[in-house]
Amino acid sequence: MVLLKGRVRILGSAYLFNAEPEHLNNVYNEESKEQEPWKDSPGEVSTYDWRDYLGDPRYQRAYVDFFEDELVLNGYDWRKVLTTYLFAGKEPLINNLISGLGHPLIHLGYAYELSSRDIAMEALGMAATSYNHLHKYLDDPSYNKPTSNPSKSPLELLCRLQKDSRFDNVVSDAGPENLTPLFENHESLMLEYWNAWQITDPTNDFRASQMAAAALLVATVKPGSGAKFDFFLVHTLTTSHAVRILLPLLPAKYHIPLVRQWWLLTLSVYIAQLRPEILLSSVGGFHWKGRGWAWVDKRAVEGKHSLDAHFVKGLRAMKAAKATWGDKEGFYLKAAVRFGEEFDGWTFGKNSVEGAARQ
């Protein structure tokens, strides 16, 4: 989906990092280079047929126009419009926010965080045009089955998955093109791990998931190896940040399903990226050399990669996690400083196109 989503998210992150106006202008100009022309849709969308075109990216403009019209009809109460269309029906949009590599989820998080009706309507449009088969795992309770080896720790399950030889020949080259075949050809294996995470204490379990997300980004790169950080794994962190924003604002019955959506996305992306080993010691043993969060802030808005949207969003997600849960052992600070210091661009899947992925 095109719209302004990439521009919105880095501008929002930079703004929340207290960036100066000049830097915000630079971000805007840089991101403008990536925007594609707005295309007309084959037809309009109405209240009578709005679900008929779900998953069809050609209706991008029609959906946004439709939701913006609904916004006017509802007196610009964007939260009311979100409630109407996110939670409507037996298969609500809220259960498919991880489609499109989680960008509808991320965008919705920014809508609430920045209290923006425009971003909110874009998020609805993204959720509508990205809609895909993943919704069935949340909508159909038959996919929720007990497993023989459950765990309360998502990080433990990821480490177990990394060593699971059953996945050794599932994919040969890293890249998002692996995502759909994973579910088509290896659904039972995917669901085994998806259902293995036991969420019995939602607050503490979600806390553990945020640490796992930071580890997936930072601890999968060996220190001093010269390897680049994984572009697709950063989405497990930025979607986790979005979940953190949304949980206090959504009806309680959607809390655990939303966290389980994140877990499904995380598992699929981790497998699609060839299950790199998670080296927790590369974060726990990292020496930040007196650099604190002020250094991280400066890196985000003044460093040489301050115009890279996903770099800035990654740093901010770790800072927000620290603010939410505390950081007694310094894990988030160590991870953020290491990421800020060693980042030098992204690695993409072998068959992925960088320009197409920059969203």
Side-chain angles (χ1 to χ4, degrees), residues 27 69 110 113 176 185 188 200 208 218 223 232 284 286 300 315 319 358:
V27 169
D69 288 344
Y110 274 95
E113 198 166 12
N185 303 322
S188 61
T200 56
V218 183
F232 297 104
F286 180 78
L315 287 176
K319 182 179 181 181
R358 286 191 62 191

Side-chain angles (χ1 to χ4, degrees), residues 39-117:
K39 297 178 182 179
D40 289 331
S41 298
E44 295 183 348
V45 172
S46 73
T47 53
Y48 302 103
D49 63 5
W50 73 273
R51 293 193 66 93
D52 292 351
Y53 309 105
L54 292 179
D56 190 337
R58 297 177 303 159
Y59 282 83
Q60 171 185 212
R61 182 168 186 169
Y63 270 114
V64 175
D65 287 345
F66 168 67
F67 290 127
E68 288 180 343
D69 288 344
E70 289 295 290
L71 181 65
V72 175
L73 292 173
N74 284 276
Y76 293 95
D77 186 343
W78 58 272
R79 292 175 177 84
K80 182 178 179 181
V81 177
L82 286 178
T83 297
T84 298
Y85 290 99
L86 279 178
F87 309 129
K90 295 181 179 179
E91 297 180 346
L93 286 184
I94 188 68
N95 283 344
N96 198 201
L97 295 181
I98 58 170
S99 58
L101 206 58
H103 284 116
L105 173 58
I106 297 168
H107 216 67
L108 185 63
Y110 274 95
Y112 277 101
E113 198 166 12
L114 297 170
S115 191
S116 170
R117 66 193 187 197

Side-chain angles (χ1 to χ4, degrees), residues 106-321:
I106 297 168
H107 216 67
L108 185 63
Y110 274 95
Y112 277 101
E113 198 166 12
L114 297 170
S115 191
S116 170
R117 66 193 187 197
D118 295 323
I119 301 175
M121 297 306 101
E122 286 187 3
L124 279 177
M126 293 172 67
T129 55
S130 299
Y131 196 80
N132 64 13
H133 66 284
L134 293 176
H135 76 88
K136 69 181 182 181
Y137 299 111
L138 281 301
D139 290 328
D140 185 347
S142 68
Y143 288 104
N144 295 283
K145 302 175 181 178
T147 60
S148 59
N149 195 10
S151 173
K152 295 182 179 181
S153 168
L155 194 54
E156 176 189 331
L157 287 169
L158 289 168
C159 291
R160 185 192 303 172
L161 174 58
Q162 195 273 329
K163 298 175 181 178
D164 192 334
S165 60
R166 293 177 296 170
F167 288 91
D168 286 352
N169 298 312
V170 166
V171 294
S172 56
D173 296 312
E177 61 277 0
N178 295 320
L179 294 175
T180 298
L182 274 177
F183 288 94
E184 291 177 344
N185 303 322
H186 307 282
E187 182 182 74
S188 61
L189 275 178
M190 294 289 298
L191 296 185
E192 176 185 326
Y193 275 89
W194 185 51
N195 286 311
W197 184 22
Q198 286 191 328
I199 303 177
T200 56
D201 182 349
T203 299
N204 284 321
D205 292 342
F206 181 60
R207 181 206 304 254
S209 76
Q210 292 228 279
M211 181 177 176
L216 273 177
L217 172 61
V218 183
T220 51
V221 177
K222 294 181 180 180
S225 65
K228 294 186 176 183
F229 292 92
D230 192 295
F231 175 83
F232 297 104
L233 288 180
V234 74
H235 288 77
T236 67
L237 177 59
T238 51
T239 50
S240 176
H241 173 74
V243 172
R244 187 193 66 83
I245 296 297
L246 293 173
L247 284 179
L249 305 170
L250 299 180
K253 71 176 184 177
Y254 294 109
H255 289 185
I256 291 180
L258 185 62
V259 174
R260 282 175 55 76
Q261 273 192 78
W262 170 83
W263 180 230
L264 188 63
L265 174 68
T266 296
L267 288 171
S268 57
V269 170
Y270 183 58
I271 296 167
Q273 296 307 101
L274 305 181
R275 298 152 39 234
E277 185 178 4
I278 302 171
L279 304 168
L280 288 178
S281 61
S282 70
V283 175
F286 180 78
H287 297 288
W288 61 79
K289 300 176 183 177
R291 291 167 293 184
W293 288 106
W295 181 90
V296 174
D297 292 357
K298 188 173 181 179
R299 202 73 167 182
V301 298
E302 297 181 17
K304 69 176 182 177
H305 298 292
S306 62
L307 298 180
D308 185 300
H310 292 83
F311 171 72
V312 176
K313 290 186 294 180
L315 287 176
R316 188 164 169 275
M318 288 185 275
K319 182 179 181 181

